Amino acid sequence: MSLVSNYEMSIKLDSMDKALMLFGEFDENIKQIEGSFSVDIVVRENEIKIIGEEEAVEKASRVIDNLLKQIESGEDINSHNVFYTIDMVKEGKDDKLDDIINDIICVTARGRQIKSKTLGQKLYIKAIKENDIVFAIGPAGTGKTYLAMAMAVNALKNREVGRIVLTRPAVEAGERLGYLPGDLQEKVDPYLRPIYDALYDIIGPETFQKHMEKGFIEVAPLAYMRGRTLDDSFIILDEAQNTTSEQMKMFLTRMGFGSKMIITGDITQIDLPNTRKSGLKEVSKILDGIEGISFVYLTDKDVVRNPLVQKIVNAYGAYEDKKKIKMVKKRGQIYEDRDR
């Protein structure tokens, strides 16, 4: 890299272990910072040196400082942490990263801390704490369901609720699976597998099984909710974009005393037949402004999976926008031809 300036800044390290975690495998994290700000970063003994243009060096040092704070808080540094911290520094919002670092929700069965990783996720957690019904709408990988599960487990541990009820519509994602073998539970299990996976990760398979047997956790298809009143419960509806208008109304009216509802979904991935309207798309027009109900919209910036997922979400978003523009132009041309 040829530098247009030789401005230099140093950051002291109190251990080489931190340097190894910061740099990442094959120095991939540092390479990302260097490429984002056009600087050179080198380590000499217990010191990191950043060389380049003054403004770029200052921003790169802020990224490194924030990443070191995340390491000290017990965070595992991965490509998402690096990308997100770089974006926050570029937008001048890195002063808000401290709030995210210290926002621990609960600890998994393996001892891993679950916490919000983006500002959008922090607002989501805040909304859950302050409202009885929360709608979380956003693309895949934004932690909508996982964070809701973590909050539910936390509420159960603290005896804020007596049970967790997890549900989702049994809608096939563009495939026809036919008649599945087994009893009723075995037939619906494939649709509920993502919910099981999240709970296994948070509380462990054995605890999950015990809670299921004692009735502290209930996992069921949405159709099983009809006719029930759910008191003293933390209720999560996953994949809500695949509910019809009628199903959404049915679900929301199941809420009893001392309960909390979280509804999650991605309105860009609706698997309903074209003739059916998504209840999740419609509900914001009906319930917006009601006290105790909050709508949280997560974006591609809140994606915490492989960085390629964020790029895929952006690419599909841009493609859909182009399709809408073409449709508008086409309709306009039709009306113009009619006027002639």
Side-chain angles (χ1 to χ4, degrees):
M1 182 187 297
S2 59
L3 299 171
V4 295
S5 172
N6 60 354
Y7 184 82
E8 186 176 302
M9 186 177 287
S10 297
I11 298 174
K12 295 286 186 181
L13 293 170
D14 53 24
S15 84
M16 285 306 296
D17 289 338
K18 287 184 181 178
L20 292 172
M21 287 187 278
L22 174 68
F23 274 57
E25 192 173 3
F26 304 116
D27 296 345
E28 59 182 0
N29 297 339
I30 288 300
K31 288 175 183 176
Q32 183 58 44
I33 299 171
E34 286 180 326
S36 297
F37 297 104
S38 298
V39 297
D40 273 342
I41 300 174
V42 294
V43 175
R44 293 172 184 167
E45 296 180 353
N46 66 332
E47 189 177 52
I48 295 176
K49 289 188 179 293
I50 311 167
I51 308 163
E53 289 188 348
E54 184 173 354
E55 183 181 356
V57 168
E58 191 272 332
K59 288 182 177 178
S61 71
R62 279 158 53 194
V63 170
I64 291 173
D65 282 337
N66 274 293
L67 290 174
L68 287 172
K69 285 181 185 178
Q70 292 175 43
I71 291 171
E72 288 170 2
S73 73
E75 188 75 21
D76 292 327
I77 299 302
N78 54 36
S79 56
H80 167 264
N81 301 78
V82 178
F83 278 106
Y84 190 71
T85 304
I86 288 170
D87 284 344
M88 293 293 281
V89 167
K90 285 183 176 180
E91 294 173 12
K93 297 179 181 178
D94 48 305
D95 58 318
K96 298 178 180 178
L97 286 170
D98 285 344
D99 293 336
I100 299 173
I101 293 170
N102 299 318
D103 191 23
I104 300 170
I105 301 166
C106 68
V107 179
T108 68
R110 297 180 180 179
R112 183 173 61 85
Q113 293 179 342
I114 298 177
K115 58 176 77 174
S116 52
K117 295 181 179 293
T118 69
L119 287 179
Q121 289 188 351
K122 183 173 177 60
L123 290 173
Y124 177 32
I125 297 302
K126 185 173 183 287
I128 293 175
K129 291 177 179 177
E130 296 177 354
N131 297 272
D132 290 333
I133 298 179
V134 176
F135 291 85
I137 301 170
T142 50
K144 302 181 298 295
T145 304
Y146 193 83
L147 290 176
M149 296 281 196
M151 291 294 287
V153 169
N154 205 37
L156 186 65
K157 283 182 178 178
N158 295 335
R159 299 187 178 181
E160 296 168 13
V161 296
R163 61 176 168 171
I164 299 171
V165 179
L166 308 166
T167 185
R168 67 186 324 204
V171 176
E172 296 161 350
E175 300 177 63
R176 295 294 179 190
L177 301 180
Y179 292 102
L180 296 173
D183 60 22
L184 193 57
Q185 189 61 46
E186 289 172 329
K187 289 178 188 294
V188 300
D189 273 355
Y191 298 102
L192 304 172
R193 179 51 53 189
I195 290 177
Y196 291 135
D197 291 343
L199 279 171
Y200 286 169
D201 186 52
I202 295 171
I203 62 176
E206 289 183 9
T207 304
F208 169 73
Q209 198 59 46
K210 287 178 183 176
H211 283 357
M212 285 280 285
E213 290 170 1
K214 293 179 179 179
F216 294 145
I217 295 178
E218 177 185 345
V219 185
L222 181 59
Y224 285 22
M225 296 296 109
R226 188 173 295 280
R228 301 179 64 186
T229 300
L230 302 172
D231 293 321
D232 192 29
S233 304
F234 198 114
I235 312 147
I236 300 172
L237 170 58
D238 190 31
E239 297 289 336
Q241 75 275 8
N242 289 329
T243 60
T244 63
S245 300
E246 296 80 10
Q247 286 175 325
M248 180 62 75
K249 180 182 177 182
M250 178 274 292
F251 173 76
L252 292 172
T253 52
R254 300 308 94 200
M255 187 175 186
F257 291 105
S259 291
K260 190 181 287 283
M261 280 186 166
I262 312 298
I263 300 95
T264 71
D266 177 4
I267 56 176
T268 68
Q269 297 195 48
I270 297 172
D271 301 313
L272 291 170
N274 292 332
T275 54
R276 307 303 300 270
K277 185 182 292 185
S278 168
L280 185 62
K281 289 186 74 172
E282 182 184 58
V283 74
S284 61
K285 301 172 187 175
I286 300 170
L287 302 182
D288 188 36
I290 295 178
E291 188 175 351
I293 298 178
S294 177
F295 287 85
V296 178
Y297 295 91
L298 299 167
T299 70
D300 60 283
K301 287 186 177 294
D302 299 301
V303 173
V304 293
R305 291 180 185 169
N306 187 303
L308 276 176
V309 175
Q310 185 175 9
K311 294 177 181 178
I312 291 168
V313 169
N314 287 337
Y316 269 95
Y319 177 72
E320 291 299 325
D321 288 342
K322 285 181 182 177
K323 281 173 64 177
K324 288 176 184 176
I325 291 170
K326 285 181 181 178
M327 286 294 293
V328 170
K329 286 182 178 178
K330 187 175 181 180
R331 287 172 183 166
Q333 185 63 48
I334 291 170
Y335 290 135
E336 188 177 330
D337 290 342
R338 283 178 181 173
D339 291 340
R340 288 175 184 172

